[in-house]
Amino acid sequence: MARIVVLTGAGISAESGVPTFRDADGLWEGHRVEDVATPEGFAADPDTVLRFYDERRAALAAVEPNPAHHALAELERVLGDDLLVVTQNIDDLHERAGSTRVVHMHGELLSALCRSCEGRAPFRGALLNRPACPGCGSRDLRPDVVWFGEIPYRMEEILDALACCETFVSVGTSGAVYPAAGFVQQARAHGARTLELNLVPSEGTHFFHEARHGRAGDLVPAWVAGLLG
Ligand code: BJW
């Protein structure tokens, strides 16, 4: 079981050029969250939602991991199984930096979910074209992401890791969305040391033993360097 659990959010990918959700120039500026990140929004206007995710998937080609992703990959090379990254992000920047122990609790842009057979499959194209499911052939694919009201992926594994870790670090997340926003309290209740690394104090900043504020691209490499000493 991992000694260190790192939770990441949109802020870790901001310096790579991936917009966050709730900042002034965020992804949802121009979109109502109910229109694009809920099952009800998808049912009401599937084309708008599919286009929103198709554009974000296409935009991945133009971004690269930044020093924060690379520092976590370097930490995994040293610690191996003692590090688990739990990300709320649906981009693939942790993997492209070299991390292999990554839990995408809110799903992945490069995966599609079939609403007919419930299969998940790697996907790189445009869902707006209604491609066939590789498993059952139906044209009923949706983004493989977790919307409000849906259950995040791999929760049992995450809760086990929070219960056993010695250190919990939260990077680049506003602390506005549950269950991720509650992880700090869960880890702390089980005795973990808790650290926030974020541009500004998050909504739950007072739950952490320590908070450092600044850019993830500066704070994460400095924290990793301190650990590896
Ligand atoms: C930087 C930076 C830099 C910027 N360096 N930092 C009432 C009370 C409590 C809970 C609920 C409630 N009503 C409903 C709920 C539950 C609901 C919820 O939380 N609602 C809230 C609105 C209150 N949650 C759910 O429905 C979840 N499911 C659930 O609870 O199921 C029940 C269940 C759980 C567990 C077990 C069993 C059952 C599902 C939530 C799904 C969230 N989905 C989204 C969309 C995913 C697909 C997509 O990407 O489009 O996930 S919403 C969106 O928010 C996305 C993100 O992952 C998530 C979090 O956002 P994040 O990452 O924090 O981004 P920002 O923009 O908010 O913050 C960025 C931060 O970075 C900021 O602080 C910046 O300052 C900082 N930053 N640049 C460092 N360079």
Side-chain angles (χ1 to χ4, degrees), residues 5 17 25 44 48 50-51 62 104 126 154 177 212:
V5 175
D25 54 351
T48 294
L50 294 177
R51 196 176 297 111
H104 282 271
R154 296 168 68 178
V177 176
R212 300 178 195 167

PDB file of all heavy atoms in Angstrom, residues 5 17 25 44 48 50-51 62 104 126 154 177 212:
ATOM      1  N   VAL A   5       0.076   9.461  -0.913  1.00  0.00           N
ATOM      2  CA  VAL A   5      -1.006   9.619  -1.891  1.00  0.00           C
ATOM      3  C   VAL A   5      -1.032  11.089  -2.304  1.00  0.00           C
ATOM      4  O   VAL A   5      -1.097  11.985  -1.458  1.00  0.00           O
ATOM      5  CB  VAL A   5      -2.375   9.216  -1.315  1.00  0.00           C
ATOM      6  CG1 VAL A   5      -3.486   9.511  -2.314  1.00  0.00           C
ATOM      7  CG2 VAL A   5      -2.377   7.724  -0.945  1.00  0.00           C
ATOM      8  N   GLY A  17      -1.130  24.604 -20.197  1.00  0.00           N
ATOM      9  CA  GLY A  17      -2.058  25.232 -21.137  1.00  0.00           C
ATOM     10  C   GLY A  17      -3.434  24.600 -21.158  1.00  0.00           C
ATOM     11  O   GLY A  17      -4.249  24.918 -22.017  1.00  0.00           O
ATOM     12  N   ASP A  25     -10.717  32.469 -16.455  1.00  0.00           N
ATOM     13  CA  ASP A  25     -10.739  32.090 -17.873  1.00  0.00           C
ATOM     14  C   ASP A  25     -10.964  30.575 -18.007  1.00  0.00           C
ATOM     15  O   ASP A  25     -10.489  29.939 -18.933  1.00  0.00           O
ATOM     16  CB  ASP A  25      -9.414  32.478 -18.529  1.00  0.00           C
ATOM     17  CG  ASP A  25      -8.217  31.895 -17.771  1.00  0.00           C
ATOM     18  OD1 ASP A  25      -8.426  31.345 -16.655  1.00  0.00           O
ATOM     19  OD2 ASP A  25      -7.092  31.964 -18.283  1.00  0.00           O
ATOM     20  N   ALA A  44     -30.206  16.179 -22.688  1.00  0.00           N
ATOM     21  CA  ALA A  44     -30.938  17.297 -23.290  1.00  0.00           C
ATOM     22  C   ALA A  44     -30.297  17.759 -24.596  1.00  0.00           C
ATOM     23  O   ALA A  44     -30.996  18.145 -25.535  1.00  0.00           O
ATOM     24  CB  ALA A  44     -31.002  18.463 -22.300  1.00  0.00           C
ATOM     25  N   THR A  48     -23.898  19.211 -28.121  1.00  0.00           N
ATOM     26  CA  THR A  48     -23.092  20.241 -27.437  1.00  0.00           C
ATOM     27  C   THR A  48     -22.072  19.580 -26.516  1.00  0.00           C
ATOM     28  O   THR A  48     -20.901  19.966 -26.474  1.00  0.00           O
ATOM     29  CB  THR A  48     -24.005  21.185 -26.630  1.00  0.00           C
ATOM     30  OG1 THR A  48     -24.809  21.900 -27.563  1.00  0.00           O
ATOM     31  CG2 THR A  48     -23.213  22.149 -25.765  1.00  0.00           C
ATOM     32  N   LEU A  50     -20.901  16.401 -26.630  1.00  0.00           N
ATOM     33  CA  LEU A  50     -19.904  15.637 -27.387  1.00  0.00           C
ATOM     34  C   LEU A  50     -18.876  16.584 -28.021  1.00  0.00           C
ATOM     35  O   LEU A  50     -17.671  16.307 -28.002  1.00  0.00           O
ATOM     36  CB  LEU A  50     -20.584  14.788 -28.476  1.00  0.00           C
ATOM     37  CG  LEU A  50     -21.485  13.659 -27.944  1.00  0.00           C
ATOM     38  CD1 LEU A  50     -22.163  12.930 -29.103  1.00  0.00           C
ATOM     39  CD2 LEU A  50     -20.691  12.668 -27.086  1.00  0.00           C
ATOM     40  N   ARG A  51     -19.351  17.723 -28.538  1.00  0.00           N
ATOM     41  CA  ARG A  51     -18.430  18.698 -29.144  1.00  0.00           C
ATOM     42  C   ARG A  51     -17.467  19.251 -28.096  1.00  0.00           C
ATOM     43  O   ARG A  51     -16.263  19.388 -28.343  1.00  0.00           O
ATOM     44  CB  ARG A  51     -19.247  19.820 -29.794  1.00  0.00           C
ATOM     45  CG  ARG A  51     -18.440  20.656 -30.773  1.00  0.00           C
ATOM     46  CD  ARG A  51     -19.283  21.715 -31.485  1.00  0.00           C
ATOM     47  NE  ARG A  51     -20.329  21.164 -32.316  1.00  0.00           N
ATOM     48  CZ  ARG A  51     -21.652  21.264 -32.069  1.00  0.00           C
ATOM     49  NH1 ARG A  51     -22.081  21.891 -30.988  1.00  0.00           N
ATOM     50  NH2 ARG A  51     -22.537  20.740 -32.899  1.00  0.00           N
ATOM     51  N   ALA A  62      -1.791  19.461 -28.370  1.00  0.00           N
ATOM     52  CA  ALA A  62      -0.995  20.692 -28.368  1.00  0.00           C
ATOM     53  C   ALA A  62      -0.374  20.995 -27.005  1.00  0.00           C
ATOM     54  O   ALA A  62       0.260  22.035 -26.841  1.00  0.00           O
ATOM     55  CB  ALA A  62      -1.874  21.860 -28.813  1.00  0.00           C
ATOM     56  N   HIS A 104      -7.471   7.574 -12.411  1.00  0.00           N
ATOM     57  CA  HIS A 104      -8.275   8.673 -12.991  1.00  0.00           C
ATOM     58  C   HIS A 104      -9.694   8.560 -12.437  1.00  0.00           C
ATOM     59  O   HIS A 104     -10.564   7.931 -13.032  1.00  0.00           O
ATOM     60  CB  HIS A 104      -8.294   8.559 -14.522  1.00  0.00           C
ATOM     61  CG  HIS A 104      -7.045   9.055 -15.174  1.00  0.00           C
ATOM     62  ND1 HIS A 104      -6.866  10.374 -15.556  1.00  0.00           N
ATOM     63  CD2 HIS A 104      -5.906   8.413 -15.507  1.00  0.00           C
ATOM     64  CE1 HIS A 104      -5.676  10.525 -16.095  1.00  0.00           C
ATOM     65  NE2 HIS A 104      -5.062   9.351 -16.080  1.00  0.00           N
ATOM     66  N   ALA A 126     -13.461  11.553 -32.821  1.00  0.00           N
ATOM     67  CA  ALA A 126     -14.519  12.504 -32.475  1.00  0.00           C
ATOM     68  C   ALA A 126     -15.809  11.730 -32.225  1.00  0.00           C
ATOM     69  O   ALA A 126     -16.282  10.988 -33.090  1.00  0.00           O
ATOM     70  CB  ALA A 126     -14.708  13.506 -33.600  1.00  0.00           C
ATOM     71  N   ARG A 154     -13.025   3.704  -9.123  1.00  0.00           N
ATOM     72  CA  ARG A 154     -12.022   3.085  -8.244  1.00  0.00           C
ATOM     73  C   ARG A 154     -12.036   3.643  -6.814  1.00  0.00           C
ATOM     74  O   ARG A 154     -10.985   3.809  -6.182  1.00  0.00           O
ATOM     75  CB  ARG A 154     -10.639   3.195  -8.889  1.00  0.00           C
ATOM     76  CG  ARG A 154     -10.577   2.398 -10.195  1.00  0.00           C
ATOM     77  CD  ARG A 154      -9.358   2.675 -11.036  1.00  0.00           C
ATOM     78  NE  ARG A 154      -8.105   2.213 -10.447  1.00  0.00           N
ATOM     79  CZ  ARG A 154      -6.913   2.327 -11.040  1.00  0.00           C
ATOM     80  NH1 ARG A 154      -6.838   2.845 -12.256  1.00  0.00           N
ATOM     81  NH2 ARG A 154      -5.830   1.905 -10.445  1.00  0.00           N
ATOM     82  N   VAL A 177     -15.380  20.045  -5.155  1.00  0.00           N
ATOM     83  CA  VAL A 177     -16.125  18.885  -5.666  1.00  0.00           C
ATOM     84  C   VAL A 177     -15.826  17.641  -4.819  1.00  0.00           C
ATOM     85  O   VAL A 177     -14.663  17.283  -4.613  1.00  0.00           O
ATOM     86  CB  VAL A 177     -15.774  18.624  -7.152  1.00  0.00           C
ATOM     87  CG1 VAL A 177     -16.459  17.372  -7.656  1.00  0.00           C
ATOM     88  CG2 VAL A 177     -16.187  19.825  -8.000  1.00  0.00           C
ATOM     89  N   ARG A 212       1.067  25.363   1.127  1.00  0.00           N
ATOM     90  CA  ARG A 212       2.034  26.232   0.434  1.00  0.00           C
ATOM     91  C   ARG A 212       1.341  26.754  -0.808  1.00  0.00           C
ATOM     92  O   ARG A 212       0.752  25.954  -1.562  1.00  0.00           O
ATOM     93  CB  ARG A 212       3.285  25.445   0.030  1.00  0.00           C
ATOM     94  CG  ARG A 212       4.005  24.834   1.210  1.00  0.00           C
ATOM     95  CD  ARG A 212       5.211  24.015   0.763  1.00  0.00           C
ATOM     96  NE  ARG A 212       5.678  23.166   1.857  1.00  0.00           N
ATOM     97  CZ  ARG A 212       6.544  22.171   1.728  1.00  0.00           C
ATOM     98  NH1 ARG A 212       7.060  21.886   0.538  1.00  0.00           N
ATOM     99  NH2 ARG A 212       6.900  21.445   2.767  1.00  0.00           N
TER     100      ARG A 212
END
